[in-house]
DNA sequence: GTCTATAGACAGATAGAC
DNA sequence: GTCTATCTGTCTATAGAC
């Protein structure tokens, strides 16, 4: 069963994925052509169809892998202890994980409308699962008598918003940013109306 | 100076703007063709060029008008009183104003990368002005000894995030949502680290 | 597995008739 | 002010050589 280890296929496939990732993030799915992706990989456009049935599948797989990795990564980090500790851990996890995957995060928020309805439903389901993770933590925290769903969405928007301005080497380092957000989230949930 | 009041130009121009607004919001700038816009307006594609020099200008003007209206609208609503009252007013203003202009808000966040560099600079300047409005309010509030810029961005991301899920006729009405956010923002800034 | 070549559709923008 | 017609270029995806 040994596969030929030097086979070009195993080298090209990840190049296609990463070229699509960075080009879609920079210019948008609709504005990027298969020829641009091919040029970034270093092949001709026709060769891409060895690795994806079409452009849509390329987008969908990037988003699906991103969302599944996100859920799996939290599963490994979740301290499963006291609710307020879990909340702090979630905030730090979300910020660091998203900082490390800026392109995939950007695509997953910006390109939802370019998914076919069937593909959209899959991604939306994964997104709902992730929201559910935070909602359950907030329930366990017994946050003030506010609307839990609203609080969940407010916190997630606030945390994900970091990606719109964070750049490596900026004024604040990653840990200092995460610390600040831990504090803000604590204040927010203690007042959630 | 009387202009011919029934002139078709004065009817078509706003139709072009609103057709572009809703189509760009739904499918994205790059995915919408001039022919689609023309069909929505009820003219042929060539006629659009009476109202815009090109597709790029159509996008830019929508975003520019949106940002200038946003700044002007706050200028009219700003109570200019006690800092904490101004903060509450800002939160309510932002949420209601954004709820009423979902398409323009969506475009202004999603299509930044489709602006030419010169146009992008203009929109970014307007956006920075709006951030400055909130930052000054937070300074006046003397929010806890945290990083003010960080707090500003966190609050804005949280407030604008409402647009990703709010739909008219949903479970919570507009005022109830705004009330909740006023409470969450108050908690957040009292803890901002 | 990658190439060249191409099909068939559609893009933005312009010219000139009415 | 809108039309029809068209220029010129691009797109996704496929076929078949190597």
């Amino acid at each position: 069963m040994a596969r030929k280890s030097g086979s070009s296929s195993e080298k090209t496939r990840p190049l296609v994925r990463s070229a699509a990732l960075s080009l879609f993030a920079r210019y948008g799915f609709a504005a990027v052509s298969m020829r641009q992706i091919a040029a970034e990989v270093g092949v001709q456009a026709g060769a891409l169809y060895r690795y994806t049935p079409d452009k849509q599948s390329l987008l969908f797989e990037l988003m699906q892998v991103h969302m599944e990795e996100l859920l799996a990564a939290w599963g490994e980090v979740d301290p499963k202890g006291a609710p307020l500790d879990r909340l702090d851990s979630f905030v730090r996890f979300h910020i660091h994980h998203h900082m490390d995957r800026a392109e995939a995060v950007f695509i997953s928020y910006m390109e939802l409308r370019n998914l076919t309805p069937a593909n959209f439903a899959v991604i939306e389901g994964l997104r709902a699962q992730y929201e559910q993770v935070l909602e359950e933590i907030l329930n366990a925290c017994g946050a003030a008598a506010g609307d839990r769903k609203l609080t969940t969405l407010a916190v997630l928007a606030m945390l994900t918003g970091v990606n719109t301005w964070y750049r490596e080497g900026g004024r604040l380092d990653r840990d200092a940013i995460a610390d600040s957000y831990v504090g803000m989230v604590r204040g927010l949930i203690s007042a959630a109306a």
Side-chain angles (χ1 to χ4, degrees), chain A residues 138 143-144 150-152 154-155 158 182-193:
Chain A
L138 291 176
L150 205 72
T151 309
T152 303
V155 170
M158 185 174 114
V182 165
M184 290 191 281
V185 170
R186 281 191 195 148
L188 187 158
I189 68 157
S190 72

Side-chain angles (χ1 to χ4, degrees), chain A residues 124-192:
Chain A
E124 267 305 295
L126 292 166
R127 178 184 311 278
Q129 279 182 53
Y130 188 65
E131 283 176 17
Q132 192 64 20
V133 166
L134 176 57
E135 194 173 342
E136 283 172 9
I137 293 173
L138 291 176
N139 281 335
C141 288
D147 187 287
R148 293 280 160 66
K149 191 74 194 166
L150 205 72
T151 309
T152 303
L153 295 169
V155 170
L156 279 176
M158 185 174 114
L159 297 182
T160 306
V162 173
N163 268 51
T164 65
W165 55 264
Y166 172 76
R167 298 293 175 268
E168 211 162 345
R171 186 169 55 85
L172 297 169
D173 72 28
R174 299 153 46 97
D175 290 327
I177 292 167
D179 286 345
S180 285
Y181 276 79
V182 165
M184 290 191 281
V185 170
R186 281 191 195 148
L188 187 158
I189 68 157
S190 72

